[in-house]
């Protein structure tokens, strides 16, 4: 404002010297007009800025698949099972529970088994079945042997003077990845018809609908719903959503299950959502990254995975998973965060991906989405700040439902509205 007053005084002095009272009036008028024009220009600039920033503050399930994905690698945590000395002292109860819950050993029932306990091993047997965990003399290596050949990889760690047994989560996840496969259910166009029996057998084996004798299958006129009935009573219905993205199986009890839809030669085929994938999604942190990658497969061409030094050993797990679910159609770049504790450092790397690296595979910013789920709070903050530009889309994965959510809240608009900037 000091500058404006200075200009005003100069105008008045000039007008007084040149023209007198009339000149002063003209000078004042010119000054007022200048102020009005200046504020008008500022208003237009402000309005233009706000128009650019305005976005509906809402979040919705992500429908679109992107060609590029930027995500964080997460720490894979080994799962604590039991303390070795306590297991030996307490009649190996925790070891038995571990065999039941984690290794699917079904022959241990009602504690009807024999047990042999020593300082180096715990062994339980029943008839010809056995399960044994052994540690070496220096208590650095633990191995598990089960008669059915079930592989449960374990580790032993010395913590606070105690020797604790952990489930080797990384190797277990690798084993699960090996089990991923497409599970064809039935062809929608062949029910009722050729695939009706396949559908009924599946329902009988997996959902215990009872005897299939007398069960009838029909389809609504719009071909969007299949009804399964018996003695004129509704047992279940399967409905295709409007966008033909998934099929929903609903029983008369209210229980429901989702199935994937794939179109092949204009025919709709229903696939059971792989149970192995569901197990992988439940893995803390990295499971949500698994979910994001799986969603974009089919369109995904490039994936950038950001990692800190403490999770570097997990690169082979992500590489194995991406190759499996994408059938080796996705190119992966692992980018190390030189300092994962600083927002500025992380944000700079993300911006470099957008401004320089994405041009190499001929992608545009609008072809790429950033996932803020897998990293630490600092990493997520940096991801959000790097995607303030409306051209950069942002997503996260819900922890409970594993649903991908598109973030539509415009951070700049919120900050501007609340006078944070």
């Amino acid at each position: 404002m000091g500058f404006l007053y200075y200009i005003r005084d100069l105008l008045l002095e000039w007008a007084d010297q040149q023209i007198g009272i009339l000149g002063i009036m003209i000078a004042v008028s010119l000054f007022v007009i200048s102020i009005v024009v200046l504020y008008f220009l500022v208003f237009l600039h402000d309005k233009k800025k706000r128009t650019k920033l305005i976005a509906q503050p809402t979040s919705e399930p992500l429908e679109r698949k992107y060609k590029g994905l930027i995500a964080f690698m997460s720490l894979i945590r080994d799962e604590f099972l039991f303390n070795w000395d306590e297991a030996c002292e307490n009649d190996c109860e925790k070891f038995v529970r571990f065999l039941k819950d984690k290794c699917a050993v079904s022959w241990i029932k009602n504690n009807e088994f024999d047990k042999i306990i020593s300082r180096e091993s715990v062994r339980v047997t029943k008839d010809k079945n056995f399960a044994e965990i052994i540690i070496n003399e220096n208590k650095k290596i633990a191995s598990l042997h089960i008669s059915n050949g079930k592989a449960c990889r374990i580790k032993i760690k010395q913590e606070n003077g105690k020797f604790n047994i952990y489930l080797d989560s990384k190797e277990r996840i690798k084993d699960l990845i090996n089990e991923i496969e497409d599970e064809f259910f039935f062809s929608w166009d062949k029910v009722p018809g050729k695939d009706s029996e396949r559908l009924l057998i599946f329902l009988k084996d997996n959902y215990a609908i009872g005897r299939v004798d007398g069960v009838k299958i029909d389809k609504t006129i719009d071909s969007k719903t299949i009804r399964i009935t018996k003695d004129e009573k509704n047992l279940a219905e399967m409905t295709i959503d409007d966008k033909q993205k998934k099929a929903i199986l609903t029983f008369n009890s209210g229980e429901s299950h989702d199935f994937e839809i794939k179109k092949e030669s204009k025919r709709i085929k229903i696939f059971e959502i792989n149970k192995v994938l569901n197990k992988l999604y439940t893995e803390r942190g990295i499971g949500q990254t698994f979910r994001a990658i799986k969603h974009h497969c089919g369109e995904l061409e490039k994936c950038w995975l950001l990692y800190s030094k403490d999770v570097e050993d997990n690169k082979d797990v992500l590489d194995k998973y991406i190759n499996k679910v994408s059938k080796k159609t996705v190119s992966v770049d692992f980018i190390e965060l030189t300092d994962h504790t600083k927002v500025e450092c992380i944000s700079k790397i993300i911006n470099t991906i957008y401004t320089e690296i994405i041009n190499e595979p001929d992608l545009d910013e609008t072809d790429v989405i950033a996932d803020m789920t897998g990293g630490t709070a600092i990493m997520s903050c940096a991801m959000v700040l790097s995607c303030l530009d409306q051209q950069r889309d942002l997503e996260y994965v819900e922890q409970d439902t594993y649903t991908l959510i598109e973030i539509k809240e415009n951070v700049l608009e919120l900050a501007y509205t609340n006078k944070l900037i």
Side-chain angles (χ1 to χ4, degrees):
M1 292 298 294
F3 176 74
L4 292 176
Y5 289 138
Y6 175 72
I7 296 298
R8 181 198 63 185
D9 293 340
L10 285 179
L11 284 172
L12 291 174
E13 183 179 352
W14 174 84
D16 185 46
Q17 293 177 355
Q18 300 297 324
I19 313 177
I21 299 298
L22 180 61
I24 293 175
M25 294 177 62
I26 294 173
V28 170
S29 299
L30 289 173
F31 178 75
V32 171
I33 292 172
S34 300
I35 295 297
V36 171
V37 170
L38 179 62
Y39 273 96
F40 183 69
L41 290 174
V42 171
F43 173 77
L44 283 180
H45 176 74
D46 181 70
K47 183 178 179 182
K48 184 178 180 181
K49 181 179 178 182
R50 289 182 60 83
T51 301
K52 182 180 179 181
L53 295 175
I54 287 175
Q56 292 183 348
T58 180
S59 297
E60 298 176 358
L62 187 69
E63 295 290 344
R64 178 185 168 191
K65 293 186 176 185
Y66 287 75
K67 294 181 180 180
L69 173 67
I70 303 173
F72 294 114
M73 281 175 53
S74 302
L75 183 68
I76 297 177
R77 296 173 174 83
D78 293 325
E79 182 179 349
F80 173 74
L81 299 174
F82 53 83
N83 173 264
W84 177 257
D85 296 316
E86 289 178 0
C88 294
E89 293 169 3
N90 295 327
D91 245 359
C92 68
E93 178 184 346
K94 292 182 178 179
F95 175 50
V96 170
R97 191 184 308 133
F98 156 64
L99 293 173
K100 286 181 179 179
D101 297 344
K102 302 297 181 181
C103 301
V105 174
S106 58
W107 47 266
I108 300 179
K109 296 180 181 179
N110 302 320
N111 291 327
E112 296 176 358
F113 54 86
D114 297 319
K115 45 189 174 290
I116 304 172
I117 301 174
S118 70
R119 301 306 297 175
E120 291 77 30
S121 68
V122 176
R123 180 183 178 94
V124 294
T125 62
K126 183 179 181 182
D127 300 327
K128 295 182 179 180
N129 299 305
F130 73 87
E132 183 177 40
I133 185 170
I134 303 172
I135 63 172
N136 66 352
E137 292 181 2
N138 56 13
K139 293 187 177 180
K140 289 186 177 181
I141 301 174
S143 58
L144 175 67
H145 306 278
I146 305 175
S147 54
N148 62 7
K150 179 71 177 179
C152 290
R153 305 169 192 265
I154 57 175
K155 291 180 178 179
I156 188 166
K157 299 180 182 180
Q158 185 175 1
E159 299 170 321
N160 300 321
K162 295 182 178 180
F163 293 95
N164 295 322
I165 305 297
Y166 283 82
L167 189 62
D168 190 334
S169 296
K170 181 177 176 180
E171 294 303 320
R172 178 174 54 83
I173 289 172
K174 283 184 176 180
D175 292 340
L176 286 173
I177 292 173
N178 287 332
E179 297 176 20
I180 296 174
E181 60 182 11
D182 292 331
E183 298 180 17
F184 175 66
F185 187 1
F186 69 93
S187 176
W188 186 267
D189 305 293
K190 295 181 180 178
V191 174
K194 185 178 178 181
D195 280 2
S196 292
E197 185 177 357
R198 178 194 286 268
L199 171 57
L200 289 177
I201 292 174
F202 177 86
L203 294 175
K204 180 177 180 294
D205 292 344
N206 292 276
Y207 298 105
I209 67 170
R211 295 174 60 86
V212 296
D213 298 338
V215 173
K216 294 182 180 180
I217 297 178
D218 62 11
K219 191 181 290 181
T220 55
I221 296 176
D222 60 7
S223 295
K224 290 186 176 181
T225 302
I226 292 175
R227 296 194 184 101
I228 299 100
T229 59
K230 185 175 184 179
D231 299 331
E232 298 183 356
K233 293 182 179 180
N234 186 57
L235 296 179
E237 288 185 351
M238 179 172 277
T239 304
I240 291 180
D241 69 347
D242 293 335
K243 296 183 179 180
Q244 295 190 349
K245 297 283 186 179
K246 65 180 179 179
I248 304 171
L249 175 65
T250 306
F251 292 92
N252 53 9
S253 63
E255 177 186 0
S256 64
H257 301 272
D258 292 350
F259 295 82
E260 291 183 344
I261 289 179
K262 297 181 182 179
K263 292 183 179 180
E264 299 177 5
S265 302
K266 295 184 180 180
R267 292 186 177 275
I268 297 174
K269 293 191 175 182
I270 309 299
F271 284 76
E272 182 184 10
I273 295 177
N274 197 296
K275 295 177 181 178
V276 174
L277 285 174
N278 287 334
K279 288 181 181 178
L280 288 170
Y281 297 161
T282 62
E283 296 293 331
R284 183 179 173 186
I286 198 168
Q288 290 161 295
T289 304
F290 285 154
R291 179 67 185 95
I293 292 169
K294 179 63 171 67
H295 174 87
H296 295 291
C297 281
E299 292 290 333
L300 195 62
E301 298 175 4
K302 189 75 177 180
C303 184
W304 294 272
L305 291 173
L306 312 182
Y307 70 93
S308 54
K309 199 68 177 178
D310 57 335
V311 300
E312 185 176 10
D313 290 343
N314 299 336
K315 288 196 291 186
D316 58 334
V317 176
L318 268 300
D319 196 47
K320 184 182 184 72
Y321 174 81
I322 293 173
N323 285 334
K324 185 75 173 182
V325 297
S326 72
K327 297 180 174 58
K328 297 184 178 181
T329 60
V330 177
S331 175
V332 184
D333 272 0
F334 293 96
I335 301 176
E336 182 179 357
L337 300 172
T338 52
D339 190 341
H340 67 281
T341 64
K342 293 184 178 179
V343 171
E344 182 182 4
C345 175
I346 302 168
S347 183
K348 183 178 180 180
I349 291 174
I350 297 171
N351 281 320
T352 300
I353 295 174
Y354 274 109
T355 57
E356 299 177 19
I357 300 178
I358 66 169
N359 295 324
E360 295 175 9
D362 295 325
L363 297 180
D364 188 75
E365 285 192 11
T366 56
D367 296 322
V368 177
I369 192 166
D371 190 288
M372 57 173 284
T373 316
T376 63
I378 293 293
M379 294 178 185
S380 297
C381 179
M383 185 74 86
V384 171
L385 292 174
S386 302
C387 295
L388 294 179
D389 192 313
Q390 284 187 307
Q391 297 294 316
R392 301 179 183 180
D393 293 332
L394 195 63
E395 70 178 24
Y396 72 95
V397 181
E398 285 192 333
Q399 188 170 1
D400 297 329
T401 64
Y402 318 123
T403 302
L404 262 78
I405 300 297
E406 181 179 9
I407 300 175
K408 289 190 174 182
E409 286 90 348
N410 191 296
V411 180
L412 273 179
E413 168 67 10
L414 295 175
Y416 189 89
T417 302
N418 291 282
K419 299 181 180 179
L420 297 177
I421 59 173

